């Protein structure tokens, strides 16, 4: 594992075709202030521009928290213009992760609250440790979720469950998060990063262009009606046939040999 970029609150490590983003403010339980959001934006640039990176893990430093939310100390005294800027910055960064042309796995050791739960939901896949806890506590702070929680949570767990969680601010444990479909998998905290890397390796073994187009088809297709959605799928399916890896994958199968994808 090589440290590629080390900013004040965010570390970017790379290892082969995998990039790991670590939100590194453990003293504030990795809460997202505007500096951290700006740094996240910078590391996303770096990942986006690195054609060797096929998969990304996002995690929080330490075992106590993934991210305990937007930084309440910084938010408290914002005026409406500053609050809007903060919201726009967070939404831009989260949307960039959601639409990044590489799959993103959230590895969640502990608290994923407010903006932290929203960050996890902007990732493609969520792996939680048994100690992870999830909530949207915003209504208890006098605000609405502002980094996509009112939109992504109902899409993951259904409108009824999302309303329950957002109106009550109830905290759910990892087992309940798995049951309601908020996370994909729950693992012991000691094996969290190994499990996330194992899943990343299974993704990296496949054709990166196909994986990118699968993400695009799922993201775009689930936002539109089925008639349009199957056209989106057909469009992305067609694009695979512009890639060398499509020919390699199918030829390798027919020649009964292992494939050698080139991300071309
Ligand atoms: N912000 C700032 N500091 C935080 C923090 C946060 N979200 N969460 C924890 N910390 C800090 C604590 O203040 C404490 O700092 P010191 O006192 O040591 O200086 C340190 O982290 C350790 O926390 P605790 O001492 O509280 O640790 P405990 O084990 O006792 O409790 C806890 C852990 C996670 C249950 C507790 O810290 C907690 O409840 N934290 C706050 C969780 C929370 O409410 N998060 C949601 C934040 S609201 C919007 C855009 C964005 C948002 C909304 C709107 N628009 C654009 C409209 C997003 C909102 C949110 O995320």
């Amino acid at each position: 594992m090589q440290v590629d970029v080390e900013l004040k609150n965010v570390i970017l490590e790379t290892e082969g075709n995998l990039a790991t983003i670590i939100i590194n403010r453990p003293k504030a339980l990795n809460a997202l202030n505007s500096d951290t959001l700006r740094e996240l934006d910078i590391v996303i640039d770096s990942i986006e521009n690195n054609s060797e990176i096929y998969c990304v893990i996002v995690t929080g430093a330490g075992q106590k928290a993934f991210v305990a939310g937007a930084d309440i100390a910084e938010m408290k005294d914002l005026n409406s213009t500053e609050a809007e800027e903060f919201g726009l910055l967070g939404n831009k960064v989260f949307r960039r992760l959601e639409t990044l042309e590489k799959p993103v796995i959230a590895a969640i050791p502990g608290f994923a609250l407010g903006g932290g739960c929203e960050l996890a939901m902007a990732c493609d896949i969520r792996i939680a440790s048994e100690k992870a806890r999830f909530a949207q506590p915003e209504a208890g702070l006098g605000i609405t979720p502002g980094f996509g929680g009112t939109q992504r949570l109902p899409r993951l767990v259904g409108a009824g469950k999302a309303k329950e969680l957002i109106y009550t601010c109830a905290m759910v444990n990892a087992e309940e998060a798995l049951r309601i479909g908020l996370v994909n998998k729950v693992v012991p905290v000691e094996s969290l990063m190994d499990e996330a890397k194992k899943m990343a390796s299974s993704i990296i073994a496949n054709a990166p262009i196909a994986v990118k187009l699968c993400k695009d088809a799922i993201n775009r297709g689930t936002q539109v009606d089925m008639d349009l959605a199957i056209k989106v799928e057909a469009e992305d399916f067609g694009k695979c046939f512009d890639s060398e890896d499509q020919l390699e994958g199918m030829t390798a199968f027919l020649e009964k040999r292992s494939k050698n994808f080139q991300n071309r």
Side-chain angles (χ1 to χ4, degrees):
M1 191 64 90
Q2 156 187 333
V3 175
D4 258 42
V5 184
E6 182 158 5
L7 303 167
K8 199 163 68 153
N9 302 321
V10 177
I11 299 171
L12 173 63
E13 296 177 347
T14 58
E15 187 176 19
N17 302 113
L18 174 67
T20 302
I21 300 174
I22 304 163
I23 315 289
N24 187 31
R25 289 187 77 208
K27 284 189 183 148
L29 303 186
N30 304 322
L32 299 172
N33 57 9
S34 38
D35 281 349
T36 308
L37 290 170
R38 273 190 282 274
E39 291 182 12
L40 260 175
D41 205 26
I42 292 168
V43 300
I44 295 170
D45 279 340
S46 163
I47 291 169
E48 206 169 52
N49 294 328
N50 185 344
S51 60
E52 294 300 306
I53 297 302
Y54 297 171
C55 189
V56 182
I57 294 174
V58 179
T59 192
Q63 292 198 347
K64 190 166 172 181
F66 174 67
V67 165
D71 190 306
I72 300 170
E74 184 185 278
M75 261 191 311
K76 180 173 104 18
D77 295 320
L78 296 181
N79 63 34
S80 59
T81 312
E82 292 163 339
E84 190 178 338
E85 277 168 16
F86 181 69
L88 287 173
L89 174 64
N91 274 313
K92 175 185 128 188
V93 171
F94 286 20
R95 187 75 180 133
R96 283 192 75 193
L97 271 182
E98 190 171 42
T99 57
L100 187 70
E101 293 187 339
K102 306 166 197 247
V104 184
I105 301 170
I108 306 159
F111 292 111
L113 308 177
C117 188
E118 291 169 308
L119 174 61
M121 291 191 290
C123 299
D124 296 293
I125 293 165
R126 285 152 290 285
I127 303 180
S129 94
E130 289 162 349
K131 299 204 160 106
R133 298 284 178 276
F134 300 82
Q136 294 293 157
E138 287 86 349
L141 294 164
I143 54 176
T144 59
F147 292 149
T150 60
Q151 302 310 309
R152 293 192 181 99
L153 188 58
R155 283 165 167 80
L156 277 171
V157 305
K161 196 58 170 175
K163 285 175 177 173
E164 177 192 327
L165 294 176
I166 290 171
Y167 300 169
T168 66
C169 304
M171 201 178 283
V172 298
N173 63 22
E175 192 191 335
E176 177 67 357
L178 180 66
R179 196 187 67 76
I180 64 178
L182 179 53
V183 302
N184 297 63
K185 198 171 184 177
V186 177
V187 299
V189 69
E190 314 75 55
S191 49
L192 177 66
M193 289 313 290
D194 286 345
E195 289 284 342
K197 286 180 187 174
K198 206 159 88 187
M199 191 180 286
S201 299
S202 309
I203 295 171
I204 287 168
N206 296 318
I209 294 171
V211 172
K212 169 184 93 170
L213 290 166
C214 290
K215 174 167 176 171
D216 180 71
I218 296 169
N219 276 359
R220 286 199 293 140
T222 49
Q223 305 309 316
V224 296
D225 68 69
M226 186 56 83
D227 289 319
L228 189 50
I230 54 178
K231 287 189 184 135
V232 167
E233 186 184 69
E235 188 184 307
D236 281 330
F237 179 74
K239 284 184 192 162
C240 296
F241 288 75
D242 289 332
S243 74
E244 291 175 21
D245 285 348
Q246 171 271 323
L247 196 56
E248 167 61 13
M250 293 188 178
T251 307
F253 173 78
L254 294 172
E255 292 178 354
K256 302 188 191 307
R257 62 168 172 81
S258 54
K259 59 228 163 186
N260 182 14
F261 291 127
Q262 298 293 327
N263 193 19
R264 287 199 292 261

